[in-house]
Amino acid sequence: MDPPEKIEIIGDFLALRWKDGRELIFDSPTLRANSPSAEQAGESDIFGEVSGGSAQKEFRGVSIKRFEYIGNYAIRILFSDGHGSGLYSWDYLSSLENN
């Protein structure tokens, strides 16, 4: 998937726009709760058993401090609570659109 042509932090929201005009807007707590990191989501072993992860699902008051590009396929979002280990690929962000 091609990267967005523009990504902006607008208040407590992350806005993404693709060349075809498609736009996605996510609030900070939603992105933090859906972090794809092992710290938040846990890790699967070869048998599909998930271990680790966080039981916390509410992140009211957490904001996005900044983001950084990871290659041409993802961004790392740094949150006000110190979390920053999740890599949000363009495909993953697109999958969050209907959550």
Side-chain angles (χ1 to χ4, degrees):
M1 174 177 233
D2 289 332
E5 70 176 353
K6 187 165 187 161
I7 303 174
E8 273 187 58
I9 299 169
I10 304 169
D12 286 334
F13 295 86
L14 183 73
L16 303 98
R17 185 181 68 222
W18 275 264
K19 290 178 184 170
D20 65 3
R22 186 171 144 233
E23 295 180 341
L24 295 176
I25 300 173
F26 299 103
D27 63 55
S28 302
T30 297
L31 288 170
R32 177 61 181 88
N34 288 285
S35 173
S37 71
E39 178 185 349
Q40 181 65 36
E43 293 181 280
S44 294
D45 64 18
I46 61 170
F47 303 107
E49 298 289 326
V50 177
S51 62
S54 173
Q56 184 178 352
K57 302 297 178 202
E58 287 288 323
F59 292 94
R60 287 190 186 123
V62 172
S63 61
I64 298 170
K65 293 177 72 171
R66 63 186 175 92
F67 67 88
E68 53 192 38
Y69 287 92
I70 304 299
N72 203 28
Y73 70 94
I75 56 174
R76 178 189 330 266
I77 301 173
L78 303 163
F79 294 93
S80 61
D81 67 352
H83 182 72
S85 58
L87 299 183
Y88 295 78
S89 70
W90 314 135
D91 288 330
Y92 182 71
L93 287 164
S94 292
S95 78
L96 292 178
E97 181 176 19
N98 297 318
N99 283 351

